[in-house]
Amino acid sequence: MTLLTYNILNGANGGRLDAVCTVVDAAAPDVAAVQELRGDPPLAQRTGMRLHVAPPGTGQPVGLLVARHLRILRQGTVPGRFHHGAAWVELEVDGGPLTVISTHLFPYWGFIRRYEAHRLAAFAARRERVVLMGDFNSLDPWTPYGEVGRRHRRWFGRGGPDTRAMALLARRGLVDVFREVGTGRAGRCRPRSAAGSSSGRGWTTSWRRRRSPGTSRRAVC
């Protein structure tokens, strides 16, 4: 399967929708996790994929674009209080059902990101095969950091680098696929994996290098 996670930045406003759809079409993903769906951009109509959206708490919606050839068994919203929301679909694929989750963690306070990661891990633990993708706004626990921005430090910016959210996902059995297979080439994904972007390295069925919102990540599984 080809999986894509893409923060399209404020609903791809400012005349960027054509460019965003070009990226999705070029990647030809089976599933694309999309974040910052402000204003209900017509991604389904433009890409020919089916879009499932989770409403936000106080932020912006997130969603999943699913290719037409895949059968959706179930879909819904991950329980819990999420700033941006968390959408999931269960797909019929070879080997049995696969759950794919799209999320966008809280951008500022680490203790809220940790709570959101806890809710995601608890949801994933109840499913046999899971891929978690999204914009995690987080630092991984393996990279040696120097000085980091205030919002990525613990204790309201007074402590060291805050890696708690990503460390929690790793402790709960999610696999950082970027560390397993890298990027730009095919590789085997473990049954539980996470994919997305962060502010240090990020989960894609990978943890990737930092990029600004509005960039895409692609993983082939």
Side-chain angles (χ1 to χ4, degrees):
M1 294 185 68
T2 299
L3 305 174
L4 175 76
T5 180
Y6 198 171
N7 183 329
I8 69 171
L9 184 59
N10 293 329
N13 61 11
R16 296 172 48 255
L17 183 60
D18 287 345
V20 166
C21 293
T22 296
V23 170
V24 175
D25 290 342
D30 296 287
V31 183
V34 284
Q35 302 88 44
E36 298 202 11
L37 303 181
R38 175 175 291 166
D40 192 25
L43 295 176
Q45 299 91 312
R46 296 290 300 274
T47 63
M49 302 175 77
R50 293 162 292 174
L51 177 61
H52 167 56
V53 176
T58 54
Q60 299 189 50
V62 303
L64 288 155
L65 288 164
V66 181
R68 294 283 177 181
H69 69 272
L70 288 173
R71 181 185 176 198
I72 299 175
L73 301 175
R74 295 186 297 168
Q75 61 188 33
T77 300
V78 178
R81 294 176 62 87
F82 289 88
H83 175 62
H84 287 299
W88 65 271
V89 295
E90 184 179 85
L91 305 172
E92 182 179 302
V93 299
D94 292 345
L98 172 69
T99 300
V100 182
I101 306 169
S102 172
T103 194
H104 186 181
L105 299 189
F106 189 74
Y108 303 117
W109 300 334
F111 74 93
I112 295 180
R113 286 193 295 272
R114 186 181 184 281
Y115 163 79
E116 293 176 334
H118 168 74
R119 299 304 307 169
L120 292 165
F123 182 82
R126 299 194 293 271
R127 281 148 179 82
E128 183 65 25
R129 299 197 300 168
V130 175
V131 176
L132 170 63
M133 299 191 288
D135 184 341
F136 297 144
N137 278 313
S138 302
L139 302 177
D140 72 69
W142 301 295
T143 300
Y145 298 103
E147 184 65 21
V148 297
R150 186 176 187 276
R151 70 175 177 145
H152 294 296
R153 298 199 300 265
R154 296 183 63 164
W155 314 123
F156 297 96
R158 296 189 295 271
D162 189 347
T163 64
R164 290 173 293 176
M166 298 297 96
L168 184 148
L169 292 177
R171 289 196 305 271
R172 298 293 182 87
L174 287 157
V175 175
D176 176 354
V177 180
F178 183 81
R179 299 181 76 220
E180 297 287 316
V181 301
T183 183
R185 64 183 187 278
R188 180 177 296 277
C189 295
R190 303 222 184 137
R192 294 185 182 277
S193 57
S197 64
S198 78
S199 298
R201 289 183 172 276
W203 300 92
T204 67
T205 327
S206 69
W207 269 14
R208 299 185 185 269
R209 294 185 182 279
R210 180 175 187 173
R211 298 183 186 178
S212 61
T215 58
S216 66
R217 283 96 170 109
R218 182 175 182 274
V220 181
C221 303

